Amino acid sequence: MSLIGAPIWADLAASDMNAERSFYAGLLGWEYGESHPDAGGWIMATAEGKPAAGMAPRPAQMPVSSWTVYFGCTDIDAAVARATQLGATVYMPPMSVDVGGVHMCSIAVLADPGGAVFGLSEPGEHKGFGLTSGRGSVAWYELLSRDLDAATDFYRELLGAKVTKADVPMDYRLVGVAEGADFAGLMAMPDEVPAEAPSYWSIYFEVDDAAAAVDFASESGATVIFGPQTMPDIGTIANVLD
């Protein structure tokens, strides 16, 4: 891996741990381990016995539940220094995550120049996703930005990424790193999003049946933003507010 690479993990800051555990269990088939006393309420979600994501109580200063995408890095201090050099703001400086005397990883949380929050993670015993395909796994990442050109420049430089334009009518940009396939899309914030909403990363999880998953989400109290919609060469997608 170069200094900073593709995402290796995602955590949910949950407003209601019991409700959101139940929601994602039904939607994505996740199961959960117990929270260690050192973990501050954080739990790991698994599917097929493999790490799929993390979940922790939402900090009081965070206004809503949200997902944080963590990009992998080989040196957390150097990675944070590089990000700030490129214009990022540090929300949480590098922190060693140690559980039961075991060094799991070192993490930091930042915001890109457009205000989109993201994380950096230097693996220890916790290497990141164990589930890489199938129901409950991350399928795609997407940044909605209020300054698409600035965001493109930032992530191209931060990740040493290649950014190409997708063959679609809108300005949708694909992000990949040299050693792998495209993993994310960048697009301008849609006009219908309220002006007070900052740029943000969202995550698409794989399901077996998108229409059935949307029905389950809606019946469980979630808000369907759009979809299910079939996209040529991609599959059927939907965006949901849990």
Side-chain angles (χ1 to χ4, degrees):
M1 181 192 293
S2 58
L3 175 61
I4 307 170
I8 62 170
W9 193 246
D11 267 348
L12 174 67
S15 297
D16 185 329
M17 287 287 286
N18 288 333
E20 294 186 66
R21 280 171 58 127
S22 177
F23 174 76
Y24 287 101
L27 184 70
L28 301 176
W30 285 352
E31 298 179 335
Y32 306 95
E34 295 298 319
S35 178
H36 190 279
D38 294 344
W42 180 91
I43 56 172
M44 181 180 289
T46 63
E48 302 176 8
K50 300 174 182 178
M55 188 181 299
R58 174 178 60 83
Q61 65 270 28
M62 186 179 290
V64 294
S65 295
S66 62
W67 283 96
T68 300
V69 176
Y70 284 85
F71 295 92
C73 65
T74 55
D75 182 327
I76 191 71
D77 293 313
V80 169
R82 177 60 175 156
T84 54
Q85 180 186 42
L86 294 170
T89 301
V90 178
Y91 282 177
M92 186 186 78
M95 178 183 75
S96 179
V97 179
D98 302 291
V99 177
V102 177
H103 176 62
M104 303 301 291
C105 57
S106 294
I107 61 173
V109 177
L110 307 91
D112 69 21
V117 173
F118 67 95
L120 296 169
S121 178
E122 177 190 335
E125 288 300 310
H126 175 48
K127 307 300 182 187
F129 295 118
L131 185 73
T132 56
S133 64
R135 184 186 181 205
S137 65
V138 173
W140 191 247
Y141 304 91
E142 191 169 77
L143 174 68
L144 276 68
S145 178
R146 296 202 175 277
D147 190 337
L148 183 56
D149 288 337
T152 299
D153 291 342
F154 176 79
Y155 289 103
R156 180 189 286 119
E157 293 298 321
L158 183 72
L159 307 175
K162 56 182 177 68
V163 181
T164 56
K165 188 179 183 305
D167 187 18
V168 294
M170 65 183 293
D171 186 2
Y172 193 84
R173 304 174 187 184
L174 305 173
V175 181
V177 290
E179 62 267 26
D182 295 333
F183 59 81
L186 310 180
M187 62 180 287
M189 187 73 72
D191 293 338
E192 59 269 24
V193 177
E196 61 271 19
S199 302
Y200 67 92
W201 281 97
S202 61
I203 303 173
Y204 287 84
F205 294 97
E206 186 173 340
V207 294
D208 295 327
D209 183 325
V214 168
D215 286 344
F216 171 85
S218 181
E219 292 166 2
S220 300
T223 301
V224 179
I225 307 301
F226 78 83
Q229 179 177 350
T230 299
M231 309 290 286
D233 302 321
I234 294 174
T236 302
I237 63 172
N239 197 285
V240 175
L241 190 68
D242 74 12

